[in-house]
Structures are given as structure tokens and as C-alpha cells.
Amino acid sequence: MCCVLSLWLLLVTPAGAQRIVQLPAEDRSLEIDFEELYRLGTMAGEDWEQFGLIANVAFDGAGKLFLFDRLMEAQIVFVVGPDGRLVRRLGGPGEGPGEFGNAGAMAVFADGRVTVADLDRRGYHLFAADGEFERLVRMSEPSAIPRVGHLVVPPGADVVIGVPTLATAWMISGASFRTPVRFPTSHAFERTILSGEETVTDTVAEAWMPPVDIRDMDQTALVNTAPRPTSELPEFSPELHWGVLPDGRVAFSDSATYAVKIGEAGVGVVRILNRPFQPEPVTGGMIRAERRRRVERLEENARPGANLQTRRRRIAELEFHTELSVIRGLATTWDGHIWVLRRGAGPMDDGPIDVLTPDGRYLGSYPAGTTVLPAAFGPDGLVAFVEVSELGVQTVVVKRMVPNER
């Protein structure tokens, strides 16, 4: 197998500053076991485990788990020890030091410090490893539409990396409708430095974003669309999937093909990892099945007697992209591996998960159904999953990976 891997690594073609690595078409099967450590949010759990809306979870270097409940009434960060017991709470709604006005995202440093982006305060709250509030770092150039999405801390720096065009929280005020809107045409990986009194932001890399037609949009439509422009794209359009590597570089997929790109600050994309899998054409049967699935979900979640005519019409008028993307998800581990989730048999089905290295090695694939992509990776093989019941109740499950190769 070592000889074969060496041949794969030789298939590297220079492309300007980029290197294109051609990975094999044949899967090499990997096995993995999980040791469950604890569960949070179960019906038998403690009162604090009755979560409202877990927006994201993350580990620190000691294996503590941080859960951010973004429900407006909660706005709280729970810190959980390796034994599954609550260590402390951070934040909560309010106007005092370390309290949140409109918390949008959380990121955790390896040393146990925490930062929370607050749209209302236009800044980042910083908490020490012992939970004490340190300071608020103001956003240096607050946008007319402040927004924030998933944030990741690269090791060894007072920095967070995020993609504003994938915002999960934003604020629109009256001033937003009187200010010219800069509509994005690409996904920028922004690195925000938190070491001073105000943030300093630069761009690590830019990813492709399918073009959004804004020619017929008025100011109101532009304001409502700009925080997350991909919401206007046809269904099944290529999505951006990304993760941060231990050295601060970014691994991402931004097209319908199997192309995992490695982006580096000050350079851009330095390497592209390809596997010879092609997008599948979208058929009329796929479109009908997806519309039917959405109508069924709409009816299941509707209140008794609700008028669903308008929403059914919107589903019937949905537009669809012409291809199904090969990649459905991507995540990075603490030891620098890249997990790439491929599409399964159907448009919404998960397939195998490939394990790659940033330098261009294919380590193998976990067959479809072996595991889902974790919500967070931690040190020493820790992973966290967020499970959602049919009633919408969230349960956080923490496990430890026990890999095997056959």
C-alpha cells in the first residue's frame, strides 16, 4: 500500500502558485469505533440541560466542551468538564460586563478562553479560562448590516476565522435601508484579530460563490438578501464547506466537483486535492421528489388549521440547479486531517466520508452509514454530535474515536 500511496503523491501538477493533487478513484475502506462518554439534553438530564437552541459546540485543549445556546431568552455558554458535569455558565442576556445584547456566535481557544460575537454591542466579548470576563473588543468597521456566522479559532493566536456570507445571525436597522449595500460576489474567509481594543480584519482566502442575480432587486430586497446571499440561489446549488487546519490555513470546497482547496493567508489557494468523481445531473424525478419531501415536512410541522396555500405555491415555484454536488460536508480535526462527506445515492443522502491530509494524501474512507460528520472535533479523539429528535429536542453526544484499519 505504501508504494501505491507514493505513486498517488507523484501525480502533482503545478498551476501557478497552486499544486493540484490527483487522488485515487478507488475507495480504501476504514473502520472506526466510538466510545460514548456522556449525553446532554436528555429528558432525564438536569434543569440546565433543557436547551433552547444550540448554535454550536467546541472543545478546548483540556477536553472541556463549550455549548452556545443562542435562544434570545438564554444567550448563554455552558462549559462542561470531561466527565459531563457542568463547570460554569458564561454570559446571559443583559447590559452589564460580560452580558449579551444579541449574541450571534461563539469560538473557543485551546487554552480555555472564549469569545462571543455580539451584534447589539458591535463587538467580541472575551472571557478568561476561569470564566472571568476580560473585555469587549469593538468591531473596528461595523457594517450597516452587522452579521456573523460560524467562527473558528486557529491555534496559538488571538484570532477568529469566519465567513460573513454564511451568516447565521445579523441585525437590520432603519439605517440599513439608507446605506448603499455592498453585495458580495464571493465567499471571503475573514481573519479577525482580537488582541487590541478594536478588531483588525484581513482575508485568508476567497472561495467561489455562484452568481446571484440582483438586477431587479430594490434597496429593501438587497438589504434583506445581502446578509446571506446564497439564500437566493436555486436548490441543490454548490455550497461552501470549510474548516480551519492546525496551522491556521483553511480547507474548503466551493464547487460541484470533488476539489478540496487549501488556502493560506497572504498567498491564497496553494493546493487543490481532487478525486475523479463527477456531479450527477438533476433529473425531473429528483425535483418532484424534493418538492414532495418539502410539502410533507411543511404539513407535519404546521399548526392545525393553518393556511398553507402560499407556502405550497412557493415550493412548487422553486428553481433547481442542474447538477448535484459531489461533496456534502467538510470538517477538520485537531491532528490536521480533513474529513470530506460525499453525497450518497439520493440528493439529500450522505455517502462515505473520505479522510485526507493537507499535503495531499488519501488515507481512506469510512463507508456510508458508519458515522455522520461530527459537529465538533476535540483533542485525543474527542468528537461531539448534535442529535435532533422528531420533536426538535437537541441532544449533545460526546464520544471518543477508536480508529481501526483493516
Side-chain angles (χ1 to χ4, degrees):
M1 181 61 67
C2 293
C3 296
V4 177
L5 283 172
S6 298
L7 288 174
W8 294 342
L9 293 175
L10 290 174
L11 296 175
V12 177
T13 306
Q18 302 173 357
R19 290 198 305 162
I20 300 177
V21 182
Q22 301 293 348
L23 301 175
E26 183 179 355
D27 282 349
R28 176 190 176 210
S29 184
L30 298 176
E31 290 185 342
I32 191 167
D33 294 322
F34 292 97
E35 174 193 2
E36 185 171 318
L37 303 180
Y38 58 87
R39 287 176 172 258
L40 304 171
T42 64
M43 296 298 293
E46 299 182 24
D47 289 344
W48 68 268
E49 297 180 39
Q50 307 309 307
F51 305 128
L53 176 62
I54 296 298
N56 67 299
V57 297
F59 291 97
D60 70 4
K64 294 194 296 293
L65 180 69
F66 295 70
L67 304 92
F68 173 42
D69 191 335
R70 211 187 79 198
L71 190 70
M72 203 62 174
E73 292 78 7
Q75 295 195 76
I76 196 164
V77 175
F78 298 101
V79 185
V80 179
D83 59 357
R85 296 180 181 274
L86 180 66
V87 175
R88 66 179 65 93
R89 298 174 173 88
L90 305 177
E95 300 180 356
E99 295 178 333
F100 306 146
N102 184 0
M106 172 199 74
V108 178
F109 296 84
D111 61 8
R113 291 177 297 142
V114 183
T115 184
V116 176
D118 193 327
L119 298 174
D120 200 30
R121 303 289 179 83
R122 304 292 179 101
Y124 293 81
H125 301 270
L126 286 175
F127 295 88
D130 62 3
E132 289 296 314
F133 173 69
E134 290 186 336
R135 57 197 174 93
L136 179 73
V137 183
R138 296 189 304 274
M139 297 177 181
S140 57
E141 297 181 3
S143 166
I145 310 174
R147 55 186 175 173
V148 68
H150 181 57
L151 297 175
V152 179
V153 176
D158 288 347
V159 167
V160 293
I161 295 178
V163 182
T165 43
L166 297 183
T168 54
W170 55 87
M171 268 183 31
I172 296 177
S173 64
S176 305
F177 297 95
R178 299 187 297 271
T179 306
V181 177
R182 291 182 295 177
F183 202 89
T185 57
S186 65
H187 293 294
F189 295 97
E190 291 190 353
R191 182 176 60 175
T192 301
I193 301 171
L194 303 176
S195 55
E197 293 184 358
E198 291 188 347
T199 61
V200 177
T201 301
D202 60 14
T203 299
V204 177
E206 288 194 57
W208 178 71
M209 184 173 71
V212 179
D213 188 356
I214 63 172
R215 290 173 296 179
D216 296 330
M217 290 188 184
D218 58 15
Q219 179 74 4
T220 299
L222 286 172
V223 167
N224 288 325
T225 305
R228 195 174 177 92
T230 54
S231 64
E232 293 297 305
L233 294 174
E235 306 304 311
F236 299 159
S237 289
E239 298 179 0
L240 176 63
H241 306 287
W242 65 283
V244 176
L245 295 163
D247 59 7
R249 293 183 298 172
V250 176
F252 65 95
S253 165
D254 62 356
S255 69
T257 63
Y258 193 112
V260 176
K261 302 175 183 179
I262 309 299
E264 184 175 328
V267 181
V269 174
V270 296
R271 186 173 293 112
I272 302 176
L273 314 180
N274 291 335
R275 294 195 73 186
F277 304 134
Q278 298 304 315
E280 182 180 348
V282 173
T283 66
M286 292 178 184
I287 293 174
R288 289 190 294 272
E290 177 61 14
R291 286 188 172 131
R292 187 164 53 248
R293 184 186 71 84
R294 295 190 179 211
V295 169
E296 291 173 353
R297 185 175 62 181
L298 172 65
E299 293 173 346
E300 289 173 359
N301 297 329
R303 296 177 180 176
N307 186 347
L308 305 179
Q309 182 177 354
T310 300
R311 297 170 72 179
R312 284 198 184 98
R313 185 176 67 250
R314 289 176 183 168
I315 293 174
E317 294 173 350
L318 286 175
E319 296 182 353
F320 287 80
H321 191 61
T322 57
E323 296 177 320
L324 295 177
S325 299
V326 177
I327 293 177
R328 279 181 52 81
L330 184 151
T332 51
T333 70
W334 278 52
D335 58 3
H337 290 166
I338 306 168
W339 283 32
V340 181
L341 173 64
R342 286 159 34 202
R343 180 179 46 80
M348 307 301 293
D349 295 336
D350 290 344
I353 294 177
D354 299 341
V355 183
L356 314 179
T357 65
D359 61 357
R361 287 177 294 151
Y362 166 66
L363 302 182
S365 302
Y366 298 117
T370 301
T371 180
V372 298
L373 209 59
F377 286 91
D380 303 321
L382 288 173
V383 289
F385 302 90
V386 179
E387 299 177 351
V388 182
S389 72
E390 293 182 354
L391 299 177
V393 177
Q394 293 175 305
T395 301
V396 179
V397 185
V398 174
K399 302 180 181 182
R400 192 182 303 278
M401 295 187 293
V402 185
N404 295 301
E405 293 191 18
R406 66 185 184 197

